[in-house]
Amino acid sequence: MLKLTKKVDYALLALNLMARNEEGGISNVRDIAALYSIPPEILAKVMQKLSKSGLIQSHNAPKGGYSLKVPAEEISVLKVLVAVEGPVGIVSCSDGTDRTCQQRDQCDIRSPLERLQNNILWFLEALSIRELGQEPAVLKGVTDGSSLFGQPLHHKG
Amino acid sequence: MLKLTKKVDYALLALNLMARNEEGGISNVRDIAALYSIPPEILAKVMQKLSKSGLIQSHNAPKGGYSLKVPAEEISVLKVLVAVEGPVGIVSCSDGTDRTCQQRDQCDIRSPLERLQNNILWFLEALSIRELGQEPAVLKGVTDGSSLFGQPLHHKG
DNA sequence: GTAATGACAGACCAAAATGGTCTGCGATAA
DNA sequence: TTATCGCAGACCATTTTGGTCTGTCATTAC
Ligand code: SF4
Ligand code: SF4
């Protein structure tokens, strides 16, 4: 729950790579998949979605592949997320998938939750794939999160 | 993806109700379930988890039920989330569920993603169930997102 | 012209997560 | 002593997810 899917993970890895290869450079699915040990077929699907949503440009030919269609700075994590998985909503009532929530009539927490959601979306929008490949210091926002809430937030190494 | 589960939704509804009934008040599963049209059995399970994690107090007896164990202000959405669904992580590598990520060796986006995750967790921690039932204006934290970045976030000092 | 490359498309499947049900036991106050 | 209400866990159906397989279309290097 609250987890990014593997497909999004793949998309971010690929886009980060392409961002480093700089605009104009062309990468093909097979190479990227091999580099990151991603199943080629599934990465292909992901790339197609990114292409359809206009984030990357396809070159359908031998020696072809994909290249960034817009500058890396303008490709936010949120855009990638939406491109690959569709509309995002932390509560089902807010992204159109579940307009038949049984609790809706009595629900008195919808408004604050939507606000929370907007904040989260804002974070996702504020992080671009350009920043993905850069050092932590460059990132805007907060904290190193060490021992934030008693959970295993990360394992260095 | 990135969606709260129904169980969490149920937990938040119940806790919000109990918060309004004020500390000390006792609510039982059957009543809450009826009020919100929640399957009683599943709400029961949810409440048990909340109880085990110390957020609410159970009164096992006729006329019994549950009451808040700590002030509503101190029950964050994140705590509820962890109580009901376990550790939270937006990337599988960061919550212990997937320590065998095939991409890990070549992964160059882990650090920024963990940072993003910490920001999100921070928001979840900053929102208490007390605020859930209140008007938007009362919400702490940044609400319109206009000045979200470029400054350290300080909520709930 | 044609063959090799690489994108495009979609059916298909297995595993996991999720949402929900059922059954029985244990505590306690009326 | 019994009705109420929490405790516990097995169990199941549906959905989501991750992944596979099969084949077609566009381009260009040769
Ligand atoms: S319970 Fe409220 S917040 Fe949750 S999905 Fe239903 S309407 Fe939305
Ligand atoms: S690809 Fe990187 S960020 Fe994603 S799960 Fe694996 S290690 Fe974590």
Side-chain angles (χ1 to χ4, degrees), chain B residues 2-157:
Chain B
L2 263 189
K3 193 169 296 185
L4 266 44
T5 65
K6 221 67 175 111
K7 286 181 190 173
V8 170
D9 225 359
Y10 295 158
L12 293 176
L13 284 169
L15 286 171
N16 176 48
L17 179 69
M18 296 172 71
R20 281 209 311 257
N21 284 356
E22 275 323 309
E23 347 288 317
I26 292 186
S27 319
N28 70 62
V29 166
R30 198 165 42 93
D31 290 350
I32 304 179
L35 173 59
Y36 289 114
S37 310
I38 301 172
E41 302 93 339
I42 201 170
L43 179 62
K45 283 194 181 312
V46 169
M47 298 298 273
Q48 283 163 34
K49 287 192 178 180
L50 293 176
S51 174
K52 269 202 235 178
S53 60
L55 298 179
I56 61 180
Q57 174 74 268
S58 83
H59 306 272
N60 192 354
K63 297 267 178 186
Y66 293 96
S67 59
L68 291 189
K69 197 170 185 179
V70 299
E73 293 78 15
E74 296 176 18
I75 303 183
S76 68
V77 171
L78 179 61
K79 287 204 183 79
V80 175
L81 227 139
V82 170
V84 175
E85 300 287 353
V88 186
I90 67 166
V91 279
S92 42
C93 58
S94 61
D95 70 344
T97 58
D98 182 14
R99 218 169 289 255
T100 65
C101 171
Q102 293 293 109
Q103 288 73 45
R104 185 143 197 176
D105 287 348
Q106 290 295 322
C107 178
D108 34 19
I109 62 176
R110 195 158 66 248
S111 159
L113 281 187
E114 281 180 359
R115 215 156 270 266
L116 173 65
Q117 163 174 303
N118 288 337
N119 287 345
I120 291 178
L121 294 187
W122 219 92
F123 260 129
L124 294 172
E125 178 63 23
L127 183 63
S128 78
I129 65 163
R130 166 71 70 204
E131 289 151 332
L132 266 192
Q134 295 176 332
E135 281 307 297
V138 185
L139 282 174
K140 304 172 190 168
V142 186
T143 51
D144 64 355
S146 56
S147 54
L148 244 189
F149 285 91
Q151 60 185 347
L153 292 165
H154 284 312
H155 303 53
K156 200 170 190 175

Side-chain angles (χ1 to χ4, degrees), chain A residues 91-94 98 100-111 113-114, chain B residues 5-6 9-10 13 36:
Chain A
V91 279
S92 41
C93 59
S94 60
D98 182 14
T100 65
C101 170
Q102 293 292 110
Q103 288 73 45
R104 184 143 197 173
D105 288 347
Q106 291 294 324
C107 178
D108 35 18
I109 62 176
R110 197 158 64 247
S111 159
L113 281 187
E114 281 179 1
Chain B
T5 65
K6 221 67 175 111
D9 225 359
Y10 295 158
L13 284 169
Y36 289 114

Side-chain angles (χ1 to χ4, degrees), chain A residues 109-129:
Chain A
I109 62 176
R110 197 158 64 247
S111 159
L113 281 187
E114 281 179 1
R115 209 158 272 267
L116 173 65
Q117 165 174 304
N118 288 339
N119 286 346
I120 291 178
L121 294 188
W122 220 90
F123 267 118
L124 294 171
E125 178 63 27
L127 182 64
S128 77
I129 65 164

